[in-house]
Amino acid sequence: MRQSAETSARPWLPQLLTLFSPAFPIGGFAWSHGLESAVAEGVVTNGDGVADWVALLLDRGSGWNDLVLMAEAFHAAAAGDQERLASVAELAVALAGSAERRAETLALGAAFTEASAHWAGEGGGPGAETQASLSAVTAPYGSLPYPIAAGRLAAMAGLPLADTLIAYAHGFAASLVSAAVRLVPLPQSVAVQVLHGLEPAIAGAAERAKRATLDDLGSSALGSDIAAMRHETLHTRLFRS
């Protein structure tokens, strides 16, 4: 009875679990976000290395920037401000530090926008009217970057920002750990331990991003950025980035 009451008090939880599940059809399994290069070059060799790599991205790398961008997109869509939404979408593309990361965020964003169309506007929130003019926002690139698509959808569906940030951060981490399972390789038991150990980093990054503004954007995870660039020239590749 208590569990049922807690779930009914957070009716959006099943939606978030679906939208940011590894099973949600956005093709995240095809992208390693530069991790493949890090493994190939011996920078990441075990579970501890994977945990450190992902935690750094969430704290002050591309994962952190994604969360800040997602929050900004959420606020823009909630206000029905198409100009603000288009501006943050342009910024998200500009912050993709390599051709592959740019392709990654746009491909995932396009797939997410299509797959999540069932949820758009369900919450009756003020951002629902932005659905009609989506093409105007995506015109320069053909799709929204993934964090922008996620923030926009959350506002349109009436999902709370705080929980959406946690779900997005967890999905980001889980996707990279899943890639590491195939690349390092990691036993499933170790992968679960890594994800368990990343829980404070996931929750902490989401909490910070909830209060962040675009002034808080920034990355010092240069090793990850360089790995993403080097991936383009790897002789053998399992992933698209």
Side-chain angles (χ1 to χ4, degrees):
M1 182 67 69
R2 178 183 175 185
Q3 187 176 31
S4 176
E6 289 176 351
T7 301
S8 63
R10 304 174 73 183
W12 56 82
L13 190 57
Q15 298 177 51
L16 289 174
L17 291 174
T18 299
L19 289 168
F20 297 102
S21 163
F24 202 65
I26 63 173
F29 60 86
W31 309 86
S32 84
H33 207 70
L35 183 60
E36 185 167 18
S37 296
V39 173
E41 295 172 0
V43 177
V44 175
T45 60
N46 54 33
D48 289 342
V50 173
D52 290 344
W53 186 270
V54 178
L56 178 65
L57 294 183
L58 288 169
D59 183 53
R60 52 183 183 276
S62 54
W64 165 248
N65 281 342
D66 272 9
L67 292 172
V68 175
L69 292 165
M70 199 202 85
E72 171 68 10
F74 178 94
H75 294 308
D81 191 335
Q82 291 296 94
E83 184 176 348
R84 183 179 177 185
L85 190 63
S87 177
V88 71
E90 182 179 5
L91 178 59
V93 173
L95 288 175
S98 67
E100 287 187 354
R101 279 200 174 164
R102 181 180 188 273
E104 176 182 341
T105 193
L106 290 174
L108 294 179
F112 182 86
T113 300
E114 180 178 358
S116 65
H118 304 290
W119 286 265
E122 282 189 355
E129 73 252 21
T130 63
Q131 174 68 15
S133 51
L134 174 61
S135 59
V137 180
T138 61
Y141 318 107
S143 65
L144 289 174
Y146 181 36
I148 310 308
R152 170 182 169 274
L153 186 280
M156 292 172 62
L159 301 173
L161 176 60
D163 286 350
T164 304
L165 286 165
I166 291 177
Y168 185 97
H170 184 274
F172 177 88
S175 179
L176 291 181
V177 172
S178 176
V181 167
R182 287 169 279 174
L183 290 169
V184 174
L186 290 183
Q188 290 287 351
S189 57
V190 174
V192 171
Q193 291 175 0
V194 170
L195 274 175
H196 175 63
L198 285 169
E199 289 171 4
I202 291 169
E207 178 64 26
R208 287 166 51 216
K210 182 178 66 176
R211 304 186 300 270
T213 69
L214 292 181
D215 289 339
D216 297 301
L217 285 169
S219 172
S220 59
L222 298 181
S224 173
D225 295 332
I226 292 171
M229 296 175 190
R230 288 180 174 172
H231 186 268
E232 299 173 16
T233 60
L234 279 184
H235 181 65
T236 302
R237 297 186 294 178
L238 296 177
F239 295 85
R240 296 180 62 186
S241 70

